[in-house]
Amino acid sequence: MSSFAPRCLSIDLEVGLRDGRIHSFAAVRGDRPEASLHFKQGELVPALGQLDTLAEGASFLLGHNLIAFDLPHLAAVKPDLRLLQLPAVDTLWLNPLAFPRNPYHHLVKHYQDGQLKRGRLNDPLLDAQLTLEVFRNQHEALSKTAPDLVLA
């Protein structure tokens, strides 16, 4: 694992295909990996308040398909979230820049291997952590190939 520890909040939502509602979510701080939140069930709005608290001091939000998917869902439920004012960095959009020869567009979720045995389709906490690792890989690649872009 890279020592690069961005002061960000990595977020992942699980939204129902049929109802378009947030069923679970998780977030982890890039600068403090022990600081995380995993909402599985219960009252969504108070849990989003906890998410807002976890975002305090973060410089930006991080996610995979964050801009087109997660942020609109968060804003629809609670548009007054302070975290919505933070800049957004989307690993989905960075991949073609960081890996132009292999601009894959999805998170490789190895934890889903054998998902029928374990009964787990998605894990937002693992996805938020995986997004941080993807971002670290992107940062490393861009630092070598486009250091001026990393400075920006």
Side-chain angles (χ1 to χ4, degrees), residues 93-111:
W93 292 17
L94 284 178
N95 266 340
L97 295 172
F99 308 109
R101 292 179 187 229
N102 185 24
Y104 60 90
H105 291 289
H106 63 282
L107 290 177
V108 180
K109 300 179 181 185
H110 293 294
Y111 70 83

Side-chain angles (χ1 to χ4, degrees), residues 28-134:
V28 63
R29 288 290 298 254
D31 53 342
R32 297 181 287 129
E34 73 284 354
S36 65
L37 175 64
H38 194 177
F39 171 76
K40 297 178 186 177
Q41 63 182 10
E43 294 294 323
L44 180 60
V45 173
L48 291 176
Q50 293 175 335
L51 182 64
D52 228 6
T53 300
L54 185 60
E56 289 176 6
S59 297
F60 62 95
L61 299 177
L62 179 69
H64 195 78
N65 202 12
L66 176 72
I67 294 170
F69 185 79
D70 297 278
L71 292 180
H73 281 285
L74 289 171
V77 174
K78 192 161 174 26
D80 63 338
L81 286 168
R82 294 180 310 276
L83 64 84
L84 294 173
Q85 303 306 311
L86 291 172
V89 175
D90 197 319
T91 58
L92 180 66
W93 292 17
L94 284 178
N95 266 340
L97 295 172
F99 308 109
R101 292 179 187 229
N102 185 24
Y104 60 90
H105 291 289
H106 63 282
L107 290 177
V108 180
K109 300 179 181 185
H110 293 294
Y111 70 83
Q112 288 186 349
D113 295 345
Q115 63 189 356
L116 293 176
K117 292 180 189 174
R118 296 190 305 194
R120 178 170 57 193
L121 295 175
N122 289 305
D123 185 327
L125 184 58
L126 285 174
D127 288 350
Q129 293 165 335
L130 182 56
T131 298
L132 269 170
E133 194 55 35
V134 167

